[in-house]
Amino acid sequence: MLLSYYAARANLYHLWQQHPQWDHATLAAALGSSKGWVKKWLKRFREAQAAGLPLTDILPGHSRARKHPPVKTPALVVEQVLAIRDQPPEGLRRVPGQQAIRYYLERDGALLFFQLPVPSSKTIYRILKAHDRIPQHKKRVHQPLERPAPMTCWQIDCKDVSSVPADPGGKRQHVVERLNIIDSGTSVLLDAHVRADFTAETALEAVALTLAKYGCPKQITLDRDTRWVGSPAGSDFPAALIRFCACLGIAVQVCAPEHPQENGFVERYHRTNPRRMLGCGSAA
């Protein structure tokens, strides 16, 4: 990219030397550039020629590095920012943010007396962050999941079939759903039950059909779908699927709220196969 910039500037310089009578519009049309760019660089060429600088020193352009160090915020301003943050004035019943702190600084008597400038909201944010008033969230380190033995742990989840449009006179959401059952140990799709009437009863029936085909695993992981775990009002009485699995000796792991990664194998299948052909079957 830099070489193309140098080449464009060098072409302008040589074209200007060959045709000094051309105006900015003619040079811009010949080079396919804007008149503003031609005007700026011709001015730099003339200034460099007057100073006796060679062309190789002109083509790189001006450095964009900071020429002066940033203005340091006075210590009194920093103290006032932290004081307003720690002890909100005027009975403010919340932790003030950058804009609120700036509002109070504009009315601060000490800053007005010493005629100190009020920092911007961005500077106030940097002050708060530098003095640990804004917690820094640690980067989440993802730990690889240890795969269980094949056919011992399953993950189940329902996914809408996007190829089926909504019914104007009926259901507009979850028109047709697909219940995917994945083996965590091998990531194999064991079954994909497709229905338009998945309820707690029909979903339990679909899981029972897969259990009859492959046998019982040691554990089944599922999300907090009400068809699996029931409603919050019935938390003292386990849902039908959980009681069914308990009778068969299958442990049920319910994902924590807003943690779909705990059901990661079936969620990954949903992402990588969004338009898979509608139908039932196994991928064994």
Side-chain angles (χ1 to χ4, degrees):
M1 183 63 71
L2 291 178
L3 293 178
S4 64
Y5 289 159
Y6 295 167
R9 297 163 190 171
N11 291 337
L12 172 62
Y13 180 83
H14 291 297
L15 193 62
W16 174 55
Q17 294 293 320
Q18 296 175 2
H19 306 281
Q21 73 281 3
W22 283 8
D23 57 5
H24 296 161
T26 306
L27 291 171
L31 296 173
S33 59
S34 64
K35 292 191 295 183
W37 179 82
V38 171
K39 182 179 179 180
K40 178 184 73 173
W41 279 99
L42 288 182
K43 179 181 178 182
R44 292 188 181 181
F45 290 152
R46 294 188 184 99
E47 293 174 353
Q49 282 185 345
L53 296 177
L55 182 62
T56 54
D57 294 344
I58 308 172
L59 296 181
H62 296 166
S63 174
R64 297 184 181 181
R66 182 187 290 272
K67 297 178 176 59
H68 302 284
V71 179
K72 188 176 181 180
T73 306
L76 179 59
V77 176
V78 175
E79 294 176 2
Q80 294 299 102
V81 169
L82 299 179
I84 295 174
R85 178 75 172 192
D86 297 336
Q87 298 178 354
E90 302 180 4
L92 185 65
R93 297 183 180 180
R94 62 179 177 86
V95 178
Q98 301 92 273
Q99 295 183 355
I101 293 175
R102 194 172 191 275
Y103 167 77
Y104 289 114
L105 288 177
E106 292 175 347
R107 304 162 55 191
D108 187 86
L111 270 63
L112 294 174
F113 179 79
F114 291 104
Q115 297 182 353
L116 296 176
V118 177
S120 62
S121 298
K122 189 174 181 179
T123 302
I124 295 174
Y125 177 83
R126 288 201 298 263
I127 294 173
L128 295 175
K129 195 169 184 180
H131 290 81
D132 299 328
R133 295 310 192 273
I134 297 179
Q136 298 183 7
H137 298 285
K138 295 182 179 180
K139 187 177 180 181
R140 181 179 298 176
V141 179
H142 296 278
Q143 298 293 338
L145 294 176
E146 183 177 353
R147 284 187 179 271
M151 302 302 294
T152 59
C153 297
W154 296 355
Q155 293 184 0
I156 64 176
D157 194 17
C158 290
K159 176 71 173 178
D160 289 347
V161 179
S162 58
S163 58
V164 180
D167 185 5
K171 295 175 64 177
R172 296 184 177 273
Q173 292 183 343
H174 311 301
V175 180
V176 175
E177 293 180 279
R178 173 172 170 156
L179 172 58
N180 293 320
I181 302 178
I182 301 288
D183 174 43
S184 303
T186 59
S187 296
V188 169
L189 175 67
L190 301 178
D191 257 337
H193 302 276
V194 180
R195 298 184 64 131
D197 59 343
F198 266 125
T199 61
E201 179 181 357
T202 56
L204 175 57
E205 179 184 354
V207 174
L209 291 175
T210 303
L211 292 174
K213 184 187 302 184
Y214 294 101
C216 296
K218 294 181 180 179
Q219 177 180 295
I220 292 179
T221 304
L222 43 84
D223 58 14
R224 307 182 78 84
D225 193 322
T226 55
R227 292 169 292 192
W228 304 136
V229 300
S231 62
S235 57
D236 295 335
F237 189 73
L241 176 64
I242 296 179
R243 287 182 284 137
F244 177 71
C245 292
C247 294
L248 296 177
I250 304 173
V252 177
Q253 180 181 354
V254 182
C255 299
E258 299 181 1
H259 282 74
Q261 70 275 8
E262 297 181 6
N263 213 15
F265 294 105
V266 68
E267 292 290 345
R268 182 177 62 183
Y269 179 82
H270 290 167
R271 293 194 303 268
T272 56
N273 299 271
R275 298 183 179 276
R276 193 173 177 89
M277 183 182 300
L278 186 150
C280 299
S282 63

